Amino acid sequence: MANKVQQTVSLLYGEENGKFHDKYIYTTGHYPSSVISGDFNNDNRLDLVVVNTNDDNITMFLNEGNDIFSKQFSYATGGSPSSIISKDFNNDNELDLVVTNNDDDNISVLLGNGDGTFQTQRTYNVGANPTSVTSDDFNNDRNLDLAVVNAEDNTMSILLGNGDGTFQQQNIYETGYYPTLVISGDFNNDNYVDLVVTAYRGITFSIFFGNGNGTFRNQLKYVIDSRAWSLTSGDFNNDNKLDIAVANTHENTVSILLNNGDETFQNGIKYATGSDPHYLLSGDLNNDNRLDLMVINVADSTFNVLLGNGDGYFRTQPTYATGTDPHCLTFGDFNNDNRIDIAVTSVGDNTLNVLLNNGYGHFQMQPMYTTGHYPVSVIFSDFNNDHKLDLAIANGDDNTISILLANQYGTFNNQSTYASGNYPHDVISNDFNNDTKLDVIVVNAFENTISVLLGNGDGTFQNQSTYETGNYPVSVVSGYFNNDFILDLAVINYQDHNVSILLGKGNGMFQNQTTYRTGTSPYSIVAADFNNDRKQDLAIANSDNNTVSILLGNGNGTFQSEIRYDTGRHPNFIISGDFNNDAKLDIVVANSKDNTISVLLGKGDGTFESQIKRNTATLPVSIISGDFNNDMKLDIAVTNLGSNDVSVFLNECK
């Protein structure tokens, strides 16, 4: 009988000090050889795409939030796909994919639809056995082009992009012997894109300096001491010149080659790694504004972290275990804590590992706890009044809630489970029956209900009571909508384009819903008093028609018809506050598709001025406000998933 091999992917989540914790494992296809991250369905969460070499396809894992991924769709590629990149190749602001197909000597281009799905592939011929692809604007026409290295015929293919997702026929350049990886960057500071290629069997890497018109000068070869499978670039000594780091597979080292600025590089500074280092990435793991390195070691199934000093030198950190035969890694902020996390594919046991970053350049493995199937939402509260934060988890696939009570030192007891409705999607906690004990409310997306579980004060809960909502409820907030000091609920119904109001009775029960129209696909909601009448109002970000809906409260649990205000494209997060110090509440919205925030200044009567837009970095996902410089004014910080950074807007109001 043949051995049955489990196919999985692991995620390791990062904290701000560069450490990582909590390895999560997900099933993939056969021989997962590469992985990338990106927000493929425009929900402001980083998703993952895994290349399954032996299945001739790719698999999409959509990020459901709360550190959970769901396996979604698979898409056909060519024969033996090996590497993958993601960018917007047709200029529609949606992420697309390019995959190299080793057996077919071509590449597949899959254009994204913006909802996590992709169009059928279109293929383009390249050289023999393409192993790696990169993309940049090689001819300065503002359209993305492709560079592909072909291992068996020792060439590099250049395919210029037309800007509509199609590409011109290849132009071919000779490389060193058996090229395995290509990266791009401006290595001589002439504002033209250059290319660097490893030649595994020739013990060299080559630089092709760009002419700015889509052509390149003949390669300049640099001899290294050992066979290099992978390399990366970055300004490791902060001199505004791109340096190179090379993984030396036969020597078990990483070499750092500092850029002299005259198209030459200094001899490499070497650092020990694990056995057979194959894959290399650079990024700021510990938030000190200095580039660090991550190295995957195939032979001993580990990875290393080297923290950069900012002067071209690095500090070696502990080694961390992966799955068997780790093959590829990517990184991103998978749990939206502004720390770089890591995802590693392992072909020996077909796994994907996710490591959460703790900070300081270390990855801390934490205990793993059993939940229900497909846990999609989690909250922290003290459910048993012992002054420790417990967990409540919504398990989408088995329609339950898991309660994990906290022990000392950050550990938890085994879960207790409670029945919910069909596909619990969101969970909140508050005291809904006024007995000073925390209760739980769950939104059931597939059943169009909410479940109310009243707490007993000892960490246990009573059986659920359910109440109808609209179609596909996605989120819930609580507030005092009829001024009776009893908590009420507002539930966003994504597919009905409305919000349900359920007034509380004070005993943990709720009246039947009353619905109010919103814009298209409401996504985020806040409750506040926008017209200073001491009655709570609602502001809702409508993701698909680029508006904010304002519903003024009448103070009796009813609301006036919406008033809409324009925002940027795909508003996904909304907050309120007094940003101009006029004692009137304003609104700020993050717009993910045009990389902006919209500021709507309130007039104090429930109306707002036209938006003021400010540019952010790529894919703004969430907003917080606070007085960051102690000048008694509210400032704004925006988390940008696409660029892995934070935009800070200091308040300059007089």
Side-chain angles (χ1 to χ4, degrees):
M1 182 181 291
N3 291 329
K4 186 177 181 181
V5 180
Q6 186 183 16
Q7 301 129 57
T8 62
V9 64
S10 302
L11 296 175
L12 293 82
Y13 289 95
E15 298 185 3
E16 62 186 358
N17 55 6
K19 295 181 180 180
F20 292 78
H21 66 86
D22 292 350
K23 180 171 71 174
Y24 293 80
I25 299 177
Y26 298 90
T27 300
T28 67
H30 292 85
Y31 202 84
S33 61
S34 187
V35 58
I36 60 166
S37 63
D39 182 9
F40 298 107
N41 60 347
N42 293 306
D43 65 352
N44 304 305
R45 304 177 184 133
L46 281 179
D47 312 304
L48 294 170
V49 179
V50 177
V51 175
N52 306 304
T53 298
N54 290 354
D55 290 339
D56 298 340
N57 65 21
I58 59 174
T59 301
M60 168 68 67
F61 291 83
L62 292 180
N63 192 336
E64 301 291 340
N66 300 308
D67 306 340
I68 302 300
F69 290 78
S70 63
K71 182 178 178 180
Q72 297 293 318
F73 313 103
S74 294
Y75 296 89
T77 63
S80 297
S82 61
S83 67
I84 186 170
I85 61 171
S86 175
K87 287 190 177 182
D88 179 14
F89 297 109
N90 60 347
N91 295 310
D92 64 351
N93 294 316
E94 311 291 357
L95 286 176
D96 312 307
L97 301 172
V98 173
V99 184
T100 60
N101 303 308
N102 291 20
D103 288 353
D104 291 344
D105 301 335
N106 63 20
I107 61 171
S108 298
V109 178
L110 294 86
L111 299 179
N113 297 318
D115 57 359
T117 64
F118 293 86
Q119 300 175 31
T120 303
Q121 64 174 323
R122 182 170 182 175
T123 60
Y124 296 85
N125 292 329
V126 293
N129 191 12
T131 58
S132 176
V133 58
T134 191
S135 179
D136 215 320
D137 182 9
F138 303 142
N139 58 351
N140 291 311
D141 64 352
R142 300 185 178 181
N143 297 322
L144 287 173
D145 313 306
L146 299 173
V148 182
V149 291
N150 310 299
E152 292 298 335
D153 60 8
N154 308 322
T155 63
M156 177 175 65
S157 302
I158 303 297
L159 295 84
L160 298 179
N162 298 317
D164 58 359
T166 65
F167 295 86
Q168 301 175 31
Q169 291 185 349
Q170 62 177 322
N171 295 313
I172 298 175
Y173 293 82
E174 292 185 356
T175 68
Y177 188 27
Y178 203 85
T180 56
L181 185 74
V182 57
I183 63 173
S184 63
D186 182 8
F187 292 95
N188 57 353
N189 290 338
D190 63 353
N191 296 318
Y192 299 146
V193 175
D194 312 310
L195 297 169
V196 182
V197 179
T198 57
Y200 179 70
R201 294 176 181 170
I203 318 180
T204 63
F205 71 87
S206 301
I207 299 184
F208 296 80
F209 290 103
N211 298 317
N213 59 0
T215 65
F216 296 84
R217 287 186 264 161
N218 292 333
Q219 61 181 319
L220 293 178
K221 290 186 178 180
Y222 295 83
V223 178
I224 51 182
D225 296 332
S226 181
R227 290 184 175 180
W229 188 271
S230 180
L231 54 78
T232 190
S233 65
D235 183 7
F236 301 128
N237 58 349
N238 291 312
D239 64 353
N240 296 315
K241 303 167 191 170
L242 277 180
D243 310 306
I244 293 173
V246 182
N248 306 307
T249 59
H250 285 194
E251 194 178 69
N252 301 331
T253 62
V254 167
S255 296
I256 309 299
L257 290 83
L258 299 179
N259 193 336
N260 293 319
D262 57 359
E263 300 186 354
T264 65
F265 291 81
Q266 299 176 29
N267 292 329
I269 307 165
K270 293 183 179 180
Y271 297 88
T273 66
S275 182
D276 196 13
H278 254 63
Y279 305 98
L280 191 62
L281 283 179
S282 63
D284 182 10
L285 294 178
N286 55 350
N287 293 323
D288 64 354
N289 296 315
R290 301 167 184 168
L291 286 178
D292 312 306
L293 293 172
M294 294 158 284
V295 189
I296 287 290
N297 309 301
V298 172
D300 59 8
S301 301
T302 62
F303 79 92
N304 298 105
V305 175
L306 288 77
L307 294 182
N309 296 326
D311 56 1
Y313 291 89
F314 291 81
R315 311 185 303 277
T316 302
Q317 298 297 309
T319 299
Y320 301 90
T322 67
T324 305
D325 193 10
H327 197 78
C328 186
L329 77 163
T330 189
F331 61 80
D333 181 9
F334 299 118
N335 57 348
N336 294 332
D337 63 355
N338 301 319
R339 303 162 184 167
I340 293 178
D341 312 310
I342 293 177
V344 184
T345 59
S346 302
V347 298
D349 57 7
N350 300 315
T351 63
L352 171 69
N353 294 11
V354 178
L355 291 80
L356 296 179
N357 188 344
N358 287 333
Y360 301 114
H362 293 274
F363 298 81
Q364 182 181 351
M365 298 297 181
Q366 300 291 332
M368 298 182 67
Y369 300 91
T370 301
T371 68
H373 290 87
Y374 197 56
V376 296
S377 180
V378 61
I379 58 171
F380 299 85
S381 287
D382 181 11
F383 297 121
N384 58 349
N385 295 309
D386 64 353
H387 306 291
K388 304 183 186 80
L389 287 177
D390 311 306
L391 300 175
I393 302 169
N395 305 305
D397 279 356
D398 59 8
N399 304 329
T400 61
I401 300 298
S402 297
I403 304 297
L404 287 80
L405 299 179
N407 297 313
Q408 297 287 345
Y409 311 115
T411 62
F412 294 84
N413 294 321
N414 292 333
Q415 65 171 332
S416 301
T417 59
Y418 298 85
S420 68
N422 192 0
Y423 193 69
H425 190 273
D426 189 28
V427 57
I428 64 171
S429 178
N430 215 319
D431 180 14
F432 296 105
N433 61 346
N434 293 314
D435 64 354
T436 70
K437 302 168 186 174
L438 286 176
D439 313 307
V440 169
I441 288 180
V442 186
V443 173
N444 305 305
F446 290 173
E447 190 177 272
N448 304 330
T449 63
I450 60 167
S451 297
V452 180
L453 291 84
L454 298 179
N456 297 318
D458 57 359
T460 65
F461 293 83
Q462 300 174 31
N463 292 334
Q464 64 172 325
S465 300
T466 60
Y467 298 85
E468 292 184 356
T469 66
N471 193 27
Y472 204 83
V474 295
S475 185
V476 57
V477 296
S478 61
Y480 300 104
F481 301 137
N482 58 350
N483 289 329
D484 61 356
F485 301 103
I486 296 171
L487 283 170
D488 312 306
L489 301 174
V491 182
I492 291 177
N493 303 305
Y494 185 83
Q495 293 184 356
D496 280 346
H497 318 304
N498 63 21
V499 58
S500 297
I501 306 300
L502 293 87
L503 298 179
K505 297 181 179 182
N507 58 357
M509 302 176 67
F510 294 85
Q511 300 178 30
N512 292 337
Q513 65 173 326
T514 303
T515 60
Y516 296 87
R517 192 71 181 174
T518 66
T520 306
S521 303
Y523 199 84
S524 180
I525 183 171
V526 293
D529 181 10
F530 297 117
N531 57 351
N532 292 313
D533 62 355
R534 299 185 178 181
K535 304 168 186 175
Q536 282 200 307
D537 313 307
L538 299 174
I540 299 166
N542 305 304
S543 59
D544 283 354
N545 68 345
N546 308 325
T547 61
V548 165
S549 296
I550 305 298
L551 287 77
L552 298 179
N554 296 318
N556 58 0
T558 65
F559 291 82
Q560 300 175 30
S561 298
E562 62 166 333
I563 304 171
R564 292 186 191 176
Y565 296 86
D566 291 334
T567 66
R569 294 185 62 211
H570 200 79
N572 59 77
F573 201 92
I574 186 170
I575 64 170
S576 67
D578 181 10
F579 297 103
N580 58 350
N581 289 334
D582 63 353
K584 303 168 186 175
L585 283 178
D586 314 306
I587 289 171
V588 180
V589 181
N591 307 305
S592 63
K593 286 192 177 181
D594 61 6
N595 303 324
T596 63
I597 60 171
S598 298
V599 180
L600 290 80
L601 297 177
K603 300 179 181 180
D605 58 359
T607 64
F608 293 81
E609 298 179 11
S610 298
Q611 64 176 321
I612 303 168
K613 294 178 74 172
R614 295 288 184 268
N615 293 327
T616 66
T618 308
L619 279 178
V621 299
S622 63
I623 313 170
I624 61 170
S625 64
D627 183 9
F628 303 136
N629 56 352
N630 295 315
D631 64 353
M632 307 298 291
K633 303 172 187 175
L634 279 179
D635 309 305
I636 296 169
V638 183
T639 302
N640 307 300
L641 275 187
S643 52
N644 298 317
D645 56 19
V646 174
S647 301
V648 177
F649 299 86
L650 296 179
N651 197 329
E652 297 179 350
C653 290
K654 302 297 185 182

